[in-house]
Amino acid sequence: MLLVNTDYIPGKELEVIGLVRGTMIQSVHVGKDIMNSFKTLVGGELTSYTEMLNEARATATKRMAEDAAAMGADAVVNIRYSSAQVMQSAAEIMAYGTAVKFV
């Protein structure tokens, strides 16, 4: 499955199938959350949150690609990501794009 964030693929003619998406809601362990609270006092990267969001983004992308494959797509174009805080220390990541077939 080819995944791109452009609205076309050079050298390919595309037939639009439809919108595809993948979502993931992820949180960190309460112990890590407490440690991150202390880290905000001195500054620096909150690595457990970075890891949490990277894992959620990868899972959301995988689910989007699976949705496209189920529709018979060859690729997903114009991929975008959005995020939202669901509750304290939990975030939703959504990956979405347009499923296409090569003509």
Side-chain angles (χ1 to χ4, degrees):
M1 179 70 56
L2 182 60
L3 306 173
V4 298
N5 67 346
T6 58
D7 57 354
Y8 65 94
I9 299 170
K12 300 285 186 183
E13 192 160 329
L14 308 175
E15 174 188 333
V16 172
I17 297 174
L19 179 69
V20 289
R21 65 168 176 73
T23 62
M24 173 68 167
I25 298 175
Q26 183 90 14
S27 67
V28 293
H29 183 276
V30 70
K32 290 182 178 182
D33 197 33
I34 291 168
M35 294 304 293
N36 282 325
S37 297
F38 292 126
K39 180 83 175 206
T40 62
L41 297 174
V42 295
E45 181 180 4
L46 305 176
T47 55
S48 60
Y49 288 147
T50 300
E51 291 167 5
M52 173 192 76
L53 290 172
N54 284 337
E55 183 180 326
R57 191 177 304 109
T59 301
T61 302
K62 180 178 178 267
R63 290 176 178 172
M64 177 191 62
E66 290 169 350
D67 190 22
M71 296 171 77
D74 296 315
V76 180
V77 297
N78 206 23
I79 295 174
R80 299 292 184 255
Y81 293 92
S82 68
S83 64
Q85 182 177 354
V86 177
M87 57 185 281
Q88 187 174 357
S89 303
E92 175 193 31
I93 301 292
M94 179 186 293
Y96 59 97
T98 304
V100 298
K101 282 192 77 67
F102 299 144
V103 187

